[in-house]
Amino acid sequence: MSNKKQSLIAGALTGSLGILISKALGILYVVPLTNLAGGGINMSFYSTSYTYYDLLKNITSAGIPFAVSSLVAKYYLKEDYKTVLILRKLATSILLFTGLVCGVIFILVSSPLAEYTLEAGNSPKDIEHLANLFKILSVAVMTVPLLSAMRGYYQGLKYMKEYAFSQVLEQFARVLFLIIAGYVVVRVMQYDNVYAVYMAVTATSIAAIAAIIYYIRFDRKNVNVIIELSKKQSTNGEPIKKLTKELLLLGLPFIVTSFLGNSKNIVNNMFFINTAVNSGYYTYDQARLALGVLQVQAGKLISIPQVLALGFSASLVPYLTETYIEKNFKLVRQNVLEILNTVLYIGLFLCFMLFVFARPIFYLLYGSADLDLGTNILMFACIMAMFGIITPITTTILLTLRLKKKCILNLGIGFFVKVVTFFALVPYTGYVGAVISSVLCSLVILVINLWDLKKLYNVKYINVFRNLIIITISLLAVNGFVFILYKIGLDVSTTNRIVNIFQLAIYGSISLCIYIFVSSYFNLPQQVFHINSISGILKKFKKGGNNWWE
């Protein structure tokens, strides 16, 4: 295996590990936050406000960091260090400006937007709370873009360990603040439970500032390397006008794709309550509860396997950019297949484990309140997560390979499918319709993306389909083990958390061993990770972290 390919997968797994830890912290905070907030109804405020925040964050920072990462990798490969430094300053300026503008707009539209979102409930107090949450999050809209600029720059230089650590630090600071502040406000000062949600959204800005401070300190030690290299460079850097054009040409399509890619959550949060209530399927409180469980409790859990999408998407940009610039299309095909095989092998197992142990996992984290509803929603959400892992990665691949128009068209088609099926299904099936519409949206996008890669880069998926068959066989073996456990009465406890966690740990470990053993019989993990035996993974890590991460 070439060093580049090894670096791509290793870097992607490193980024995924950092995001996984941050997501694990995110799951842990949902438990005390839900208790402090007084249950799933108030958590719907959290879910709704964060959906709009994510949308604005994507507008202000999703496109430019992607472009910065790609262009930094491009000019660093060309040894044009002056341009690398210019890109850094230019991106920071653009993102700070867009963050300020979007933050101000968010404040101005907070009240009418809250009123529109909660129209079916028509509760002035609820509208006021949601509007206040929008205003608090506007501070994060202004600060997070600076953090994104820093991450994009170092992502382009392939500092994936630092990228991962900043994710963990940001989430740790966020969790620490929201739990302490929420406890003080609700338990000590005796404010209403909804103020715990206020503290939770405030924590977003606090966490971003903590990560920015980390990068500033890291920057002082590492930026001098590029500065010294630029001093030895005899040629001038590229003009700012040209670089601005390049940034926008790469970044703006990504903003569009970020909006369309996040359309599932946008549609759910904007229209679910009104559609479900007006059709008579749910009452207002039932709709708020279902939305809160779907978007927050279940959403946090399915974000565990979806870290692979985030980690691989972040890592593949600089590597695929290099191979694209070098016109090494054979390596492009190899990288695409390597990514698909690795993500499917890890991601499908994680989704399957969440599915078969949905009830005890939901109980462990959220208790017995809304357990039946939470279990059903989580099981449906796991199906959504399976497609949510691989579809965003294929979208990022298309963007990195400069297939912007096709990418936007594909996402537009998916968005159309989401809207049509959402309004057709939700009035008759409630949250089930919302999930099914998201699955259909992701499936359509995935199929078209894969077809475009096959047609334009001659990517052949025969090996991927073979691996999918092996993964299915391995998961059926795991399912057989779980079926036997439940059949003989050894199902996981949903009345005692201590027993529950031990059972999940034991059953999960045995399931993992069965999965690896069966798939190893067909040489799948050996092929995916390029090892001679399973112990080879451990040897790689023991052999020296430096060689593994380079």
Side-chain angles (χ1 to χ4, degrees), residues 32 48 98 122 151 204-205 239 250 268 354 433 438 449 455 515 529:
T48 303
T98 56
N122 198 25
R151 281 182 175 150
T204 306
S205 302
L250 272 175
N268 286 347
L354 278 175
S438 295
N449 284 352
K455 185 172 61 174
Y515 181 70
F529 298 109

Side-chain angles (χ1 to χ4, degrees), residues 125 145 249:
K125 184 177 288 188
L249 285 175

Side-chain angles (χ1 to χ4, degrees), residues 119-132:
E119 179 183 355
N122 198 25
S123 169
K125 184 177 288 188
D126 287 351
I127 292 171
E128 181 184 358
H129 285 316
L130 188 57
N132 289 338

